[in-house]
Amino acid sequence: MTSLLTYTFKSLPSTSKWALRFCKLYLFFLFKISFGYVSVLHRHGIVLLFVSTLFCLPALRPLSSSSQLQAAAAVQTKSKKTLAKPNIRNIVVVDGVRIPFLQSGTSYKELMPHDLARAALLGLLHRTSVPKDVVDYLVFGTVIQEVKTSNVAREAALGAGFSDKTPAHTVTMACISSNQAMTTGVSLIASGQFDVVVAGGVELMSDIPIRHSRKMRKMMLDLNKAKTLGQRLSLISKFRLNFLSPELPAVAEFSTSETMGHSADRLAAAFAVSRSEQDEYALRSHSLAKKAQDEGLLSDVVPFKVPGKDTVTQDNGIRPSSLEQMAKLKPAFIKPYGTVTAANSSFLTDGASAVLIMAEEKALAMGYKPKAYLRDFTYVSQDPKDQLLLGPTYATPKVLEKAGLTMNDIDAFEFHEAFSGQILANLKAMDSDWFAQNYMGRKAKVGSPPLEKFNNWGGSLSLGHPFGATGCRLVMTAANRLRKEGGQYGLVAACAAGGQGHAMIVEAYPK
């Protein structure tokens, strides 16, 4: 596939008619600035940037400088059709919780992943009062596995007091691992195998496996097999100091050897996302997260008494700064001209989450009032070199088509924020007919989510991103927002390493 960096906007039509049409479009939206500037500019970011560059038209304010980025408007209650399908079980999420997401190297640094997962499970049991013996199955997602507890779902379940007769398994799909855990649970229930599944995810970046070098590992294994003193001495004589060089877990893509941050920087450049736009979006995320935290909207967070330490009650990565302070940071990946910095990137995070998923008839029989229906979902994958972080762009139109919905039907959008540049590039790609036609094989764009409905309670940039646990947070935030704001449909989407992505429709349960 042609590179995003080499297949530039030169491929766009350049006739005078085309230029005239888009100049008129530019002026039309400029005059409409008083009622919807932010949404308009965001929906037409690629076009306006190209036109203003080509014709030296005056540049508009950056998207995120508007006050709409600092406050989120309430979504109006709507009456729409339900997405229930004949002869298919309705599947609901009864409730979900997460322990506070903390920056790595802080209060959770002495623990193991199963400790965090167990805490999330105990929090879910306390929140829902579900009897342990009612749970048929558990599925957890994780990315960087602790070798001692490779099936962390099973170890966490046993630690939380679930029966040893209740099976559990662990899945991994990079940043959408807990999304995969949830949809695995949905599939198990939809197929009639089970009625009640607990799904979740966990990540502990404070203590990652660091291996000996391959040469050292080979020598140690051979020494273990050696039967005589002579064989052992012969092996030891081959030892060299460079054998002691450790192997750190790779942050880079295995298939491309490129770090995700480097890819995000290139993606931002390809879609002409400026450094100031990225910083402003990051500030938006932190400001909205702080507002949601102060107003008690992050109700999925449950306190966690860390052994030997104080009880942790809230996320510790929410830190609204100022654009002036953010502008002082140097590029983190492409130096010295890159635009991705520590301030507009998600940070290494420790955390765990869990949700209780049931067949609707089972939930009602047990007296529960579910939070939401889990409806259609999809997974996508594309070129990991140039489209590593474009999963939401590809997954969103697919899941909307499966559900028979349009972007206008969605009341709450919850997208994973790996980087500001990644989010803004996806929004531009989603609003580009050119990208849809040349890269996605679609006739027209799906459209960009309006910011007044988008990540209104913050996102991964501010709340944190424990790789294996973010998916459950996204779903529960969407469900809780729908209840709070009176909406009916939520759309959850996320990118993941390997060029993969996920999207799911969440439907509010009738009050």
Side-chain angles (χ1 to χ4, degrees):
M1 179 177 290
T2 307
S3 169
L4 280 173
L5 297 179
T6 56
Y7 197 122
T8 65
F9 293 114
K10 294 178 181 179
S11 301
L12 288 167
S14 58
T15 65
S16 58
K17 288 185 178 180
W18 179 89
L20 181 59
R21 286 200 302 270
F22 279 91
C23 278
K24 289 180 179 178
L25 181 65
Y26 179 94
L27 293 174
F28 172 77
F29 284 112
L30 185 59
F31 290 139
K32 292 293 183 180
I33 192 171
S34 61
F35 46 89
Y37 167 74
V38 170
S39 296
V40 167
L41 179 55
H42 206 290
R43 290 198 299 271
H44 296 273
I46 293 177
V47 171
L48 294 186
L49 177 62
F50 180 75
V51 173
S52 61
T53 302
L54 188 62
F55 299 102
C56 299
L57 293 173
L60 296 179
R61 290 179 295 159
L63 164 69
S64 51
S65 63
S66 168
S67 61
Q68 285 193 7
L69 293 177
Q70 305 301 326
V75 177
Q76 297 297 316
T77 302
K78 300 179 181 179
S79 178
K80 305 171 186 172
K81 64 178 182 180
T82 180
L83 296 182
K85 297 180 180 179
N87 303 318
I88 295 180
R89 302 179 89 184
N90 280 326
I91 299 166
V92 297
V93 55
V94 174
D95 211 335
V97 303
R98 62 183 177 91
I99 61 173
F101 287 178
L102 303 186
Q103 296 183 69
S104 64
T106 56
S107 295
Y108 299 157
K109 65 182 180 181
E110 303 297 334
L111 303 180
M112 292 178 66
H114 77 282
D115 294 319
L116 306 189
R118 177 180 60 206
L121 287 175
L122 290 173
L124 184 67
L125 292 171
H126 183 266
R127 172 71 62 87
T128 63
S129 299
V130 63
K132 298 187 187 78
D133 58 357
V134 170
V135 176
D136 299 312
Y137 204 92
L138 294 97
V139 193
F140 258 67
T142 194
V143 179
I144 301 179
Q145 294 185 341
E146 163 61 56
V147 294
K148 293 181 179 179
T149 57
S150 57
N151 187 3
V152 69
R154 176 64 170 171
E155 304 306 331
L158 293 174
F162 284 87
S163 168
D164 57 9
K165 301 294 189 286
T166 305
H169 82 269
T170 302
V171 297
T172 185
M173 201 175 181
C175 301
I176 52 177
S177 292
S178 61
N179 305 76
Q180 182 59 249
M182 287 185 289
T183 57
T184 297
V186 167
S187 299
L188 288 170
I189 296 173
S191 64
Q193 304 304 310
F194 300 117
D195 293 324
V196 182
V197 174
V198 170
V202 62
E203 209 68 47
L204 182 68
M205 297 304 294
S206 291
D207 183 26
I208 55 178
I210 299 176
R211 303 196 303 177
H212 285 291
S213 68
R214 191 177 189 91
K215 291 180 179 178
M216 188 66 183
R217 298 199 307 270
K218 184 177 184 303
M219 172 176 284
M220 293 171 72
L221 291 172
D222 289 342
L223 279 171
N224 191 51
K225 296 176 183 178
K227 297 180 179 180
T228 67
L229 178 60
Q231 290 175 333
R232 295 189 182 95
L233 291 175
S234 175
L235 288 168
I236 292 173
S237 68
K238 299 176 182 178
F239 172 78
R240 299 292 181 270
L241 282 177
N242 63 4
F243 287 14
L244 297 176
S245 298
E247 287 184 3
L248 298 174
V251 182
E253 289 289 309
F254 182 80
S255 60
T256 65
S257 299
E258 183 180 39
T259 65
M260 188 172 286
H262 194 284
S263 181
D265 224 325
R266 291 195 304 110
L267 187 68
F271 283 92
V273 180
S274 69
R275 164 74 180 270
S276 61
E277 286 179 306
Q278 293 176 60
D279 287 350
E280 287 164 1
Y281 182 86
L283 180 58
R284 173 192 191 265
S285 180
H286 281 272
S287 299
L288 292 178
K290 178 63 175 173
K291 182 174 182 289
Q293 188 179 68
D294 291 345
E295 294 178 359
L297 298 178
L298 306 181
S299 58
D300 57 331
V301 179
V302 293
F304 175 29
K305 176 63 174 72
V306 180
K309 297 184 179 181
D310 294 335
T311 299
V312 180
T313 60
Q314 63 182 17
D315 309 318
N316 71 358
I318 303 174
R319 297 180 179 181
S321 180
S322 68
L323 293 177
E324 293 73 24
Q325 290 296 320
M326 296 168 75
K328 295 178 181 179
L329 295 181
K330 295 180 179 181
F333 300 98
I334 298 180
K335 303 175 182 180
Y337 303 114
T339 57
V340 175
T341 70
N344 57 43
S345 306
S346 57
F347 50 88
L348 296 179
T349 313
D350 300 334
S353 56
V355 297
L356 178 61
I357 304 172
M358 290 188 178
E360 182 183 25
E361 65 270 19
K362 180 70 173 182
L364 296 179
M366 294 184 65
Y368 285 114
K369 181 72 171 180
K371 285 284 185 76
Y373 293 106
L374 299 182
R375 297 302 195 188
D376 293 281
F377 62 86
T378 191
Y379 290 92
V380 297
S381 60
Q382 50 277 342
D383 174 22
K385 179 65 176 177
D386 288 320
Q387 302 188 57
L388 178 70
L389 302 170
L390 288 177
T393 297
Y394 284 84
T396 295
K398 285 191 174 184
V399 79
L400 287 174
E401 288 174 355
K402 290 182 70 173
L405 301 176
T406 68
M407 292 290 276
N408 291 333
D409 294 315
I410 304 302
D411 302 302
F413 293 88
E414 285 296 326
F415 280 29
H416 164 47
E417 301 170 346
F419 304 89
S420 290
Q422 161 257 332
I423 283 289
L424 297 177
N426 270 276
L427 297 185
K428 286 190 174 186
M430 292 169 69
D431 202 43
S432 169
D433 284 322
W434 171 80
F435 187 85
Q437 293 161 5
N438 287 277
Y439 281 90
M440 302 175 65
R442 305 183 68 84
K443 294 181 180 180
K445 65 188 180 185
V446 66
S448 178
L451 280 186
E452 62 268 19
K453 299 180 180 181
F454 191 84
N455 288 13
N456 287 2
W457 296 353
S460 300
L461 289 171
S462 49
L463 301 173
H465 174 40
F467 301 149
T470 289
C472 291
R473 178 191 68 77
L474 293 171
V475 166
M476 287 314 305
T477 302
N480 289 330
R481 278 186 56 197
L482 291 174
R483 290 173 67 88
K484 175 71 175 178
E485 299 167 1
Q488 184 170 354
Y489 298 130
L491 195 157
V492 169
C495 59
Q500 303 193 100
H502 166 77
M504 173 187 278
I505 300 295
V506 178
E507 181 180 353
Y509 201 84
K511 291 184 178 180

